[in-house]
Amino acid sequence: MDKIRIGIFGFGKTGKVVANEFLKNSLFKLEWVVRKCHDDHQKYASRLLGHEFDAGEIFSAEDMSDDFFLERPVDMLVDFSDSTGVYLYKKAAVAGIPIITAISKYEQEELDLLKFFTKHTAVLYSPNMSLGINVVMVAAQILQKIAPHADIEIVEEHFKGKKEVSGTAKRIASVLNLDAEEHINSIRVGAIVGRHEIIFGMPHQTIRLSHESLDRAAFGQGAIFAVKFLIGKPPGMYTMETIIAEMFRQNIPVY
Amino acid sequence: MDKIRIGIFGFGKTGKVVANEFLKNSLFKLEWVVRKCHDDHQKYASRLLGHEFDAGEIFSAEDMSDDFFLERPVDMLVDFSDSTGVYLYKKAAVAGIPIITAISKYEQEELDLLKFFTKHTAVLYSPNMSLGINVVMVAAQILQKIAPHADIEIVEEHFKGKKEVSGTAKRIASVLNLDAEEHINSIRVGAIVGRHEIIFGMPHQTIRLSHESLDRAAFGQGAIFAVKFLIGKPPGMYTMETIIAEMFRQNIPVY
Amino acid sequence: MDKIRIGIFGFGKTGKVVANEFLKNSLFKLEWVVRKCHDDHQKYASRLLGHEFDAGEIFSAEDMSDDFFLERPVDMLVDFSDSTGVYLYKKAAVAGIPIITAISKYEQEELDLLKFFTKHTAVLYSPNMSLGINVVMVAAQILQKIAPHADIEIVEEHFKGKKEVSGTAKRIASVLNLDAEEHINSIRVGAIVGRHEIIFGMPHQTIRLSHESLDRAAFGQGAIFAVKFLIGKPPGMYTMETIIAEMFRQNIPVY
Amino acid sequence: MDKIRIGIFGFGKTGKVVANEFLKNSLFKLEWVVRKCHDDHQKYASRLLGHEFDAGEIFSAEDMSDDFFLERPVDMLVDFSDSTGVYLYKKAAVAGIPIITAISKYEQEELDLLKFFTKHTAVLYSPNMSLGINVVMVAAQILQKIAPHADIEIVEEHFKGKKEVSGTAKRIASVLNLDAEEHINSIRVGAIVGRHEIIFGMPHQTIRLSHESLDRAAFGQGAIFAVKFLIGKPPGMYTMETIIAEMFRQNIPVY
């Protein structure tokens, strides 16, 4: 089988780890990486990440001529850059190349652009690509339906330097119809990579669903999962949550 | 609406708490309690549990004449006694009175008897009636399907005096196809009422599903939930797990 | 040996549990209970708590004539009432009867009164009498000294109905010189009796010290511990923290 | 001030991380690293770990001529190799160079050799160098003395591949006089770096002391802490536990 050709936008802390996951997986060929700045220009992401082969040539946003996507064709775009990345791949989207984007926060204009893309291609958008957190999120929504009177609180723990409230925690609050201000408890200490816990309190029992990220490669693994899912899918908007919800449906146990 | 008339088998530690939950709920009328011994004979369970009205007259197993169920009709039987309780209500079962039984361990002979009952009436059998633990169990089964390579371990914590391994933990191991000997870790300390945690370890993330019982009333609440579910159901075998699995199916989130 | 005679102030939710712990312990004789209201006047606390003997006659605050303490002598006073209880036992204090008080919050005037008492008798004042929480608190203070750069956060979990922030959590913040507003995270769900966790985050490791109350009897056990400690002590102010700190000193391991 | 000159034995997974911590800290100069094999012979550890300067020349055990320590003088030896490392630095020990060793398991012969060294120099031996785990261990010993009737269980969680029971957990069991077989619960899932929890169960409360390693640099930090402590100390045997116990003594809170 031919390898799936991948183009990545973004080569920051998370982008690098994601690129590395694609480089390590023999199903994929990392064609190129586009980053905003000129650092490491035309070097190979593979070399920078310690591999002994050439893959993932690095371009800057300014390199993106009209024919960029024609000259360097890929089967899927993966965006771990920032909210402005979306403006760089209009042409690819209209040409039908599927897109996976993990940007944590878009403005309305960018969301509208993504929506426009979905007329032409499959777009999967999820601010948190980790499989586990999406499983926890879907389970929490079902539990809330089964136990509608349970009190629910969200605790998120991250390293001291993380300034804002976790976007994932906000997303959890949103799908559970909880006021984020009131129900998210943010712990900032030391070097915790990321932990989310959803606590359900009932009159005689407590349920806790918790997810802990051990390193950022969880996002790369999620992106790989998403790429595999998106191949061959018709145009439209997809999210990790819809994929996971569908997997729940298909895997309800039968006794 | 007429109250649902309940007959309870068993008046031990858990039986008492379950009886009390039915006494406190205006949907139900606790008609009687059958216990093995002669303690508190023909007293009212309600009085013994601190209520100021008469309900739940206490009989011993020896009181159960041929006409017991005719003279003291109920709409549902709830069994928190022990594995021999099942022999006391053959007549009721054949007459079509639905049965809820929460015995932790039956021998084959008794399981066969329950199966025979299911030709005539609805039988719901679950060794752990608590809603929450069954939600956790179903979620764990789905998660195992979604992440088939995850390593799974079960931790169960109970008070020092609890001798054997938690039956609920064994049930969890069984539905997850895990060797109980190898994958259940039993903690016995102090006065912990009951806590079960299922740990899913993956290469870059860890998921924990945990359930903690704060007191035994969780079982009474579960029994009430089961009674409501079982009313009007056709003959057959039901479990809390099948109910919860069905509720999962009906509550898959749509985005 | 003669039993230690105890007089208790307060017969609310916690007061009752504390009284019961003294009733169950053969070292003690519960002489009387003083409560604000007239409920259960001159009944026996022992009977109300299910014992088959008479102990702990119940008086109201209005019963407290000038000779109350002479006519009903005790060896120790235990106060689980409210901040006004302290005004009821001035005479006893001046007469040298040791006092244990577990009121969560005093005004300055009452603190001054307690201070005055310490000229005449031993006073032990701790808003949280549970042994375990005081152990955790002392360990946290030492850990903070050993790892001065660790980030510290406090999480406290209690039942939904608990309105204010846990006084114990505030006390922990205070001894650790942390801003309570900023560093206490309050979870209010279901029926959790009480859980406090102190998280120490460091660059490569995280330490968590957690204490969970399973029921209010922990406070009674703490009060018993405190009574045993206070017998024969010279006048002065004591706290559970000072006792525990002293026990730390005496039990530093030697290798 | 002159930098403290360090020689390291061992350049495996942990050895590398420890070397890197010394390289990053301006108080120290990493003079050399001795490893068993010939890999990376006479390269610089600094370069291999991504630094842009030369430090920590790599030698193999066979390079260790009689004059090795004279020609390449250091102020302290740090041993993260294996149980045979101890035979390589007899001369240095007799010459009075202080030694820190973090080997998890020695045979009697090697322990005897270490003991012999202590006549000539200060030797600090601890199988787990992380500051946090030693704090937890000392706190647990004190708590056991304060609450002698508490039931105690140890839970240790590590990555799936870790074969044997955690040496640290065994050490905890040993200092608490607990049978390791019976009281250590080992969880092996996914990629957990290392987590130890000590659970104290009492009749009405539960205390949990937990330590989680986020990465191996915790051991390097601990080694740096140990080096600073050991400078100028008289000959003798030291352990992290004795250091931490002494820090407990000096930091008992005063109220």
Side-chain angles (χ1 to χ4, degrees):
Chain A
M1 205 186 84
D2 284 348
K3 294 194 174 196
I4 302 162
R5 296 168 301 177
I6 302 289
I8 288 182
F9 288 82
F11 202 60
K13 236 191 230 176
T14 306
K16 274 174 190 154
V17 177
V18 171
N20 202 28
E21 292 300 308
F22 281 104
L23 286 165
K24 291 192 300 186
N25 191 316
S26 63
L27 281 178
F28 302 98
K29 179 149 187 276
L30 181 62
E31 293 286 348
W32 43 258
V33 171
V34 172
R35 64 191 309 185
K36 272 191 163 171
C37 60
H38 271 271
D39 292 2
D40 304 316
H41 193 245
Q42 292 192 325
K43 292 186 184 168
Y44 287 101
S46 57
R47 297 283 170 184
L48 295 169
L49 293 164
H51 299 274
E52 311 250 314
F53 57 88
D54 291 344
E57 193 177 353
I58 293 173
F59 296 95
S60 88
E62 290 172 19
D63 296 326
M64 299 201 63
S65 66
D66 278 7
D67 293 338
F68 185 86
F69 294 107
L70 288 176
E71 290 164 4
R72 295 169 192 83
V74 293
D75 300 309
M76 189 93 55
L77 297 180
V78 175
D79 185 358
F80 275 84
S81 63
D82 64 23
S83 63
T84 64
V86 71
Y87 297 108
L88 297 175
Y89 44 79
K90 281 188 215 176
K91 282 204 171 163
V94 171
I97 301 176
I99 293 158
I100 286 164
T101 168
I103 305 312
S104 42
K105 204 173 174 310
Y106 280 124
E107 298 300 321
Q108 192 54 48
E109 191 185 338
E110 294 138 10
L111 288 172
D112 291 345
L113 188 55
L114 277 182
K115 210 166 202 173
F116 165 72
F117 291 174
T118 64
K119 292 180 188 164
H120 305 280
T121 192
V123 175
L124 188 151
Y125 168 42
S126 275
N128 188 326
M129 279 287 159
S130 119
L131 195 67
I133 196 69
N134 283 283
V135 167
V136 163
M137 208 184 295
V138 171
Q141 285 172 270
I142 295 174
L143 176 46
Q144 187 184 38
K145 289 275 175 54
I146 294 178
H149 301 301
D151 310 308
I152 310 178
E153 288 285 313
I154 300 162
V155 180
E156 55 105 348
E157 302 180 352
H158 286 87
F159 49 95
K160 185 67 179 177
K162 187 173 169 73
K163 289 281 184 295
E164 72 288 11
V165 172
S166 145
T168 301
K170 282 188 191 161
R171 178 72 189 143
I172 295 172
S174 162
V175 299
L176 296 175
N177 283 314
L178 297 175
D179 181 71
E181 282 284 317
E182 199 182 332
H183 293 286
I184 297 178
N185 305 272
S186 298
I187 307 289
R188 292 290 172 272
V189 295
I192 293 175
V193 178
R195 189 171 165 270
H196 292 86
E197 180 174 65
I198 314 175
I199 309 175
F200 290 78
M202 286 159 280
H204 309 289
Q205 50 197 316
T206 312
I207 291 178
R208 295 170 195 260
L209 310 178
S210 91
H211 176 269
E212 190 166 359
S213 298
L214 300 177
D215 55 61
R216 285 160 197 274
F219 304 123
Q221 289 290 317
I224 285 174
F225 179 88
V227 168
K228 289 182 190 170
F229 172 88
L230 212 59
I231 290 170
K233 285 285 182 302
M237 179 62 90
Y238 301 82
T239 67
M240 283 296 273
E241 291 159 48
T242 49
I243 304 178
I244 297 294
E246 183 53 32
M247 296 190 78
F248 264 66
R249 186 187 312 282
Q250 288 164 10
N251 290 294
I252 301 281
V254 180
Y255 297 93
Chain B
M1 204 185 85
D2 284 348
K3 293 193 174 196
I4 301 164
R5 295 166 303 176
I6 302 290
I8 287 182
F9 287 82
F11 202 60
K13 237 190 226 175
T14 307
K16 274 173 190 155
V17 176
V18 171
N20 201 29
E21 291 301 308
F22 281 105
L23 286 165
K24 291 192 299 187
N25 190 317
S26 63
L27 281 177
F28 301 99
K29 181 151 184 273
L30 180 62
E31 292 287 347
W32 41 259
V33 171
V34 172
R35 65 191 305 186
K36 272 191 163 170
C37 60
H38 271 271
D39 293 1
D40 305 318
H41 193 246
Q42 292 192 325
K43 290 186 184 169
Y44 286 102
S46 56
R47 296 285 171 182
L48 295 169
L49 294 164
H51 298 276
E52 312 250 315
F53 57 87
D54 292 342
E57 193 177 355
I58 293 173
F59 296 95
S60 88
E62 293 172 17
D63 295 327
M64 300 201 62
S65 65
D66 278 8
D67 293 338
F68 185 87
F69 293 109
L70 287 177
E71 290 165 3
R72 294 168 193 83
V74 293
D75 300 310
M76 189 92 57
L77 296 181
V78 175
D79 185 358
F80 276 86
S81 64
D82 62 26
S83 63
T84 64
V86 71
Y87 297 107
L88 296 175
Y89 44 79
K90 282 188 214 175
K91 283 206 171 163
V94 172
I97 301 176
I99 292 159
I100 286 163
T101 168
I103 305 310
S104 40
K105 203 173 174 311
Y106 280 123
E107 299 299 322
Q108 193 55 46
E109 190 185 339
E110 292 138 10
L111 289 171
D112 291 344
L113 188 55
L114 278 182
K115 211 166 202 175
F116 165 72
F117 291 173
T118 63
K119 292 180 188 165
H120 305 280
T121 191
V123 175
L124 189 152
Y125 168 42
S126 274
N128 188 325
M129 278 289 158
S130 118
L131 195 67
I133 197 70
N134 284 282
V135 167
V136 164
M137 207 183 299
V138 170
Q141 285 171 268
I142 296 173
L143 176 46
Q144 188 184 36
K145 290 274 177 53
I146 294 178
H149 301 301
D151 309 308
I152 311 180
E153 289 284 313
I154 301 162
V155 181
E156 55 105 349
E157 303 180 351
H158 286 88
F159 50 94
K160 185 68 178 174
K162 186 173 170 74
K163 290 281 183 295
E164 72 288 15
V165 171
S166 145
T168 300
K170 283 187 191 162
R171 178 74 189 142
I172 295 172
S174 163
V175 300
L176 297 175
N177 283 315
L178 297 175
D179 181 72
E181 282 285 316
E182 199 182 330
H183 293 287
I184 297 177
N185 305 272
S186 298
I187 308 289
R188 293 290 171 272
V189 295
I192 293 175
V193 178
R195 188 169 166 272
H196 292 85
E197 180 174 65
I198 313 175
I199 310 175
F200 290 79
M202 286 159 281
H204 309 290
Q205 51 197 314
T206 311
I207 293 178
R208 295 169 196 262
L209 310 178
S210 92
H211 177 268
E212 190 167 1
S213 298
L214 301 177
D215 56 61
R216 286 159 196 276
F219 304 122
Q221 290 288 319
I224 286 173
F225 179 87
V227 168
K228 288 182 190 168
F229 172 87
L230 213 59
I231 291 170
K233 284 287 182 301
M237 179 63 90
Y238 302 83
T239 66
M240 283 297 273
E241 291 160 46
T242 49
I243 304 178
I244 298 294
E246 183 53 33
M247 296 189 79
F248 264 67
R249 187 185 313 281
Q250 288 163 10
N251 289 295
I252 302 280
V254 181
Y255 298 93
Chain C
M1 204 186 86
D2 284 348
K3 293 192 175 198
I4 301 163
R5 295 167 301 175
I6 302 289
I8 289 182
F9 287 82
F11 202 59
K13 238 191 226 175
T14 305
K16 275 174 188 154
V17 176
V18 171
N20 201 29
E21 291 300 309
F22 281 103
L23 286 165
K24 290 192 299 186
N25 191 316
S26 62
L27 281 178
F28 301 99
K29 180 149 185 274
L30 180 61
E31 293 286 347
W32 41 258
V33 172
V34 171
R35 65 191 305 185
K36 270 192 165 169
C37 61
H38 271 270
D39 292 1
D40 304 316
H41 193 246
Q42 292 192 326
K43 290 186 186 170
Y44 287 102
S46 56
R47 298 283 170 182
L48 295 169
L49 293 164
H51 298 275
E52 311 251 315
F53 57 88
D54 291 343
E57 193 177 353
I58 293 173
F59 296 94
S60 87
E62 292 173 18
D63 295 327
M64 299 200 63
S65 65
D66 278 8
D67 293 337
F68 185 86
F69 294 108
L70 287 177
E71 289 165 5
R72 296 169 191 84
V74 293
D75 300 309
M76 188 95 55
L77 296 181
V78 175
D79 185 359
F80 276 85
S81 63
D82 64 24
S83 63
T84 64
V86 70
Y87 297 107
L88 296 175
Y89 44 78
K90 281 188 216 177
K91 282 205 172 166
V94 172
I97 302 176
I99 293 159
I100 286 164
T101 168
I103 304 312
S104 41
K105 203 174 175 308
Y106 281 122
E107 298 301 322
Q108 192 55 46
E109 191 186 338
E110 293 138 9
L111 289 172
D112 291 345
L113 188 53
L114 277 183
K115 211 166 201 175
F116 165 71
F117 291 174
T118 63
K119 292 179 188 165
H120 304 281
T121 192
V123 176
L124 189 153
Y125 166 45
S126 274
N128 189 326
M129 278 286 157
S130 119
L131 195 67
I133 197 68
N134 283 283
V135 168
V136 164
M137 207 183 296
V138 171
Q141 286 171 268
I142 295 174
L143 176 46
Q144 188 184 36
K145 289 274 176 53
I146 294 179
H149 301 301
D151 309 308
I152 311 178
E153 288 285 314
I154 300 162
V155 180
E156 54 105 350
E157 303 181 351
H158 286 87
F159 50 94
K160 185 67 178 176
K162 186 172 170 73
K163 290 282 184 291
E164 72 287 15
V165 172
S166 146
T168 301
K170 283 189 192 161
R171 178 72 189 143
I172 295 172
S174 162
V175 298
L176 296 174
N177 283 315
L178 298 174
D179 181 73
E181 282 285 315
E182 199 182 330
H183 293 286
I184 298 177
N185 304 272
S186 298
I187 308 289
R188 293 290 172 270
V189 295
I192 293 175
V193 178
R195 188 171 165 270
H196 292 85
E197 181 174 66
I198 313 175
I199 309 175
F200 290 78
M202 285 158 281
H204 309 289
Q205 50 197 317
T206 312
I207 291 178
R208 295 169 195 262
L209 309 179
S210 91
H211 177 268
E212 191 167 0
S213 298
L214 301 176
D215 56 59
R216 286 161 196 272
F219 304 123
Q221 289 289 319
I224 286 174
F225 179 88
V227 167
K228 288 182 190 169
F229 171 87
L230 213 58
I231 290 171
K233 285 285 183 302
M237 179 64 89
Y238 302 82
T239 67
M240 283 297 273
E241 291 159 47
T242 49
I243 303 178
I244 297 294
E246 183 53 34
M247 295 189 79
F248 264 67
R249 186 185 313 279
Q250 288 163 11
N251 290 294
I252 302 281
V254 180
Y255 299 92
Chain D
M1 204 185 85
D2 283 348
K3 293 194 177 198
I4 302 162
R5 297 166 301 174
I6 302 289
I8 288 182
F9 288 82
F11 202 60
K13 234 189 229 176
T14 307
K16 274 173 189 152
V17 177
V18 171
N20 202 28
E21 292 299 310
F22 281 104
L23 286 164
K24 291 191 299 186
N25 191 317
S26 62
L27 281 178
F28 302 99
K29 178 149 187 274
L30 180 61
E31 292 288 347
W32 42 258
V33 171
V34 172
R35 64 190 309 185
K36 271 191 166 172
C37 59
H38 271 270
D39 292 3
D40 304 318
H41 193 245
Q42 292 192 327
K43 291 187 184 169
Y44 288 101
S46 57
R47 296 282 172 186
L48 295 169
L49 294 163
H51 297 275
E52 313 251 315
F53 58 87
D54 293 342
E57 193 176 355
I58 294 174
F59 296 94
S60 87
E62 292 171 17
D63 296 326
M64 300 199 63
S65 64
D66 278 7
D67 293 338
F68 186 86
F69 294 108
L70 288 177
E71 290 165 5
R72 295 169 192 83
V74 293
D75 300 309
M76 188 94 54
L77 296 181
V78 175
D79 185 357
F80 276 85
S81 63
D82 61 26
S83 63
T84 64
V86 72
Y87 298 107
L88 298 174
Y89 43 78
K90 280 187 216 176
K91 284 207 172 161
V94 172
I97 302 176
I99 293 159
I100 286 165
T101 169
I103 305 311
S104 39
K105 205 174 172 309
Y106 280 123
E107 298 301 322
Q108 191 56 46
E109 190 185 337
E110 292 138 11
L111 289 171
D112 291 344
L113 188 54
L114 278 182
K115 213 167 199 174
F116 165 72
F117 291 173
T118 62
K119 292 180 190 165
H120 305 279
T121 191
V123 176
L124 188 151
Y125 168 42
S126 274
N128 189 325
M129 278 288 159
S130 119
L131 195 68
I133 197 68
N134 283 284
V135 168
V136 163
M137 207 184 296
V138 170
Q141 286 171 267
I142 295 173
L143 176 45
Q144 187 185 36
K145 288 274 177 53
I146 295 179
H149 301 300
D151 309 309
I152 311 179
E153 289 284 313
I154 300 162
V155 181
E156 55 105 350
E157 303 181 351
H158 286 88
F159 50 95
K160 186 67 178 175
K162 187 175 170 69
K163 289 282 183 294
E164 71 289 12
V165 171
S166 145
T168 301
K170 283 188 191 161
R171 177 74 189 141
I172 295 172
S174 162
V175 298
L176 297 175
N177 282 314
L178 297 175
D179 180 73
E181 283 285 317
E182 199 182 330
H183 292 286
I184 297 178
N185 305 272
S186 297
I187 308 289
R188 292 290 173 270
V189 295
I192 294 175
V193 178
R195 189 172 164 270
H196 291 86
E197 180 175 66
I198 313 174
I199 310 175
F200 290 78
M202 285 158 280
H204 309 289
Q205 50 197 316
T206 311
I207 291 178
R208 295 170 195 262
L209 310 179
S210 91
H211 176 268
E212 191 167 359
S213 297
L214 301 177
D215 56 60
R216 286 160 197 274
F219 304 123
Q221 290 289 319
I224 286 174
F225 178 87
V227 168
K228 288 184 192 166
F229 172 88
L230 213 57
I231 290 171
K233 285 286 182 300
M237 179 64 89
Y238 302 82
T239 67
M240 284 297 273
E241 292 159 47
T242 48
I243 303 178
I244 298 294
E246 182 54 32
M247 296 189 78
F248 264 68
R249 187 186 312 281
Q250 288 163 10
N251 290 295
I252 301 281
V254 180
Y255 298 94

